[in-house]
Every structure is written in structure tokens, then in C-alpha cells.
Amino acid sequence: MNALLSIWTWIEIGLVALVGFCVQLSLAILTWAFDRKRHVTGRCFRLIGVTAAKLTPFWRFGVHGPVPEKVAPNTVVVSNHESNADPFLISHLPWEMKWLGKASLFKIPVVGWSMWMAGDVPVHRGDRDSATGAMAKCRQWLAKGMPVMIFPEGTRSKTDDLLPFKDGAFRLAIEAQADVLPLAVSGTRRALPKHSWRFATSRGLVTVGTPISTKGMTLADVETLKNLARDQILSLRASLVPLTRTGTEPAVPPGPASAA
């Protein structure tokens, strides 16, 4: 039964992605000339993910705790990374941000095209030149007043333990004098286990932390900033774990979308 439902879920996600891409493409044609932030196509893509998650029979995703109506335009958002389902969950947040993602994702038909239209940033894992170029693109988005979203672990953790955080997101924040906004996700590891095509019943929640200012920081403070963000993510996640295990916590409806 799980195999059959998983096949159906992949079909459902594919159909939602295809229909959503057509809508997104239409919006891109109408807005490309004046929407420098690609806000319209970006929000459309995030809502495609939310729609796919809501139609998935296995998942109950939502937001826990207060959600800011908007975040500062000059913000680097960071989160722990449990599963490929994380973007579906984090997309429930009401503001637009550009995501740093594996370059291989951009090669997937329809999904990759949508990521490109949304303005997301590809990076080849382990390629220093690619990472340098990707960070430069993220700086450009920050300069335009568009937050960026980065998983500092770099890949999904196979266990409940966070992987070591890479420096890139925190160097970027200090160089741009941007705030760092920690998020935490919980419950998504069961939603779509790493290296498995089968879905599982999951209660996934995302919660938003407190922005960390980088004003006055230099690159010598990267480790300090990284530890501040990591400690906050660990604390946030600890508050979610009991709720995602019991599945009894109702989701908090997101606030109105940000204009950023």
C-alpha cells in the first residue's frame, strides 16, 4: 500500500509542478520587464510547493509559533536540513527569498526551470569556483533587497544530529552586513527519507527564530556568528520535536505575505 500511495504522490507532485510551471511561465512573461526581484515568479514557485504538500496524503505541514509579517530585505535565512521535503515545508512562510540549491536540481525538467524563473541560485557541491560564483549571486540579491535562504549544513543530515555548519552563509552575511535569521524544521526526515523514493506519514513544522545582527562584525567573527545561529536552531528544533512526534499541534496560519 505504501508503494502504491508513494507512486500516486509522485504523480501528484509532478502534475502540480507541471501546471504550476505553466502558470509561473505566464506570470514571467507578464512581469519580467519590471519585476527585478522576480518576486512574482518566486512567490508563485513557493506556492506550487505549498500546494503539492497540501495535496500529498502523507504530509501534514505547517508553521509553529509567531511568524513575522516580513523580514528585513538584507537578511540571510539559515535552517537545519532534514529532507528533500524541507523546501515544501519552509515555503509555507509568507515572504519571498532566493534559495541556494544544488546545481543538479536545476537540471530536473519543469522543477529546474521553475527554480531558474524564481531566481534561485545553483551551486555545484565541492566546487570552489562554483561556490564563489553562487555567493556573488546571493550578494547581488541582497543588494536588490531580496533575502536569501541557505542550508548551512550543505546537505541533509541522516540522523537527528546537525552536521557541521559551513562558513559560506555567515561570511556572506558579515560581508553584506546582513542579519542572519535562523529557522528550524522538524518531522520532515520521516516525510521523505534520504536515498528513498517512498514517502511516509509525517507531521512537519517550521518555526522562526530571532534575527542576529552582524553590524560591526568582521570575518574574524564568522565562527562566533555560526555558533550563535547553530545554538538558536538547536533550541528552536528542540521545541518542535515533541510536537512533530505526537502530531497533536495545530499549525499556526502564516501572516500576510511580505512585500520584500
Side-chain angles (χ1 to χ4, degrees), residues 20 26 29 58-59 62 71 75 112 124 147 152 198 249:
S26 299
I29 293 171
F58 291 101
W59 296 349
V71 298
T75 298
H124 291 274
R198 295 193 182 202
E249 173 69 13

Side-chain angles (χ1 to χ4, degrees), residues 117-199:
M117 280 197 294
D120 292 338
V121 181
V123 61
H124 291 274
R125 188 183 300 165
D127 185 325
R128 183 179 296 274
D129 290 339
S130 175
T132 299
M135 287 297 130
K137 182 63 177 176
C138 287
R139 278 193 294 274
Q140 291 175 13
W141 279 123
L142 291 172
K144 290 180 180 179
M146 177 58 66
V148 297
M149 165 69 207
I150 299 175
F151 292 112
E153 293 169 280
T155 188
R156 294 158 288 160
S157 175
K158 296 180 180 179
T159 69
D160 287 337
D161 295 327
L162 268 64
L163 297 173
F165 280 9
K166 299 181 183 298
D167 291 348
F170 307 100
R171 291 180 64 92
L172 171 67
I174 290 174
E175 289 172 348
Q177 290 292 278
D179 288 348
V180 172
L181 178 62
L183 309 177
V185 299
S186 179
T188 52
R189 181 173 293 107
R190 295 185 296 277
L192 187 58
K194 191 170 184 177
H195 304 311
S196 174
W197 64 273
R198 295 193 182 202
F199 294 83

Side-chain angles (χ1 to χ4, degrees), residues 176-225:
Q177 290 292 278
D179 288 348
V180 172
L181 178 62
L183 309 177
V185 299
S186 179
T188 52
R189 181 173 293 107
R190 295 185 296 277
L192 187 58
K194 191 170 184 177
H195 304 311
S196 174
W197 64 273
R198 295 193 182 202
F199 294 83
T201 300
S202 168
R203 173 59 167 148
L205 291 173
V206 58
T207 192
V208 182
T210 303
I212 304 169
S213 174
T214 64
K215 288 182 179 178
M217 287 189 177
T218 69
L219 292 180
D221 298 306
V222 165
E223 198 67 25
T224 298
L225 180 60

Side-chain angles (χ1 to χ4, degrees), residues 51-117:
T51 301
K54 289 185 180 299
L55 293 177
T56 297
F58 291 101
W59 296 349
R60 292 193 301 121
F61 285 178
V63 180
H64 174 68
V67 180
E69 295 182 1
K70 59 183 179 178
V71 298
N74 197 30
T75 298
V76 177
V77 183
V78 295
S79 173
N80 62 308
H81 196 10
E82 291 192 350
S83 162
N84 279 335
D86 292 341
F88 293 89
L89 173 57
I90 296 173
S91 291
H92 283 70
L93 297 173
W95 62 81
E96 172 58 7
M97 49 193 174
K98 304 310 180 188
W99 295 56
L100 181 70
K102 293 187 299 183
S104 58
L105 296 175
F106 288 76
K107 297 178 181 179
I108 300 174
V110 180
V111 173
W113 306 336
S114 286
M115 292 176 70
W116 180 80
M117 280 197 294

Side-chain angles (χ1 to χ4, degrees), residues 24-25 27-28 31-32 35 37-50 91 93 95-99 114-120 141 146 260:
Q24 187 188 25
L25 180 60
L27 292 172
T31 64
W32 205 267
D35 188 6
K37 296 181 181 180
R38 299 197 198 176
H39 187 275
V40 173
T41 53
R43 285 307 297 158
C44 179
F45 182 47
R46 314 310 163 200
L47 292 175
I48 293 169
V50 172
S91 291
L93 297 173
W95 62 81
E96 172 58 7
M97 49 193 174
K98 304 310 180 188
W99 295 56
S114 286
M115 292 176 70
W116 180 80
M117 280 197 294
D120 292 338
W141 279 123
M146 177 58 66

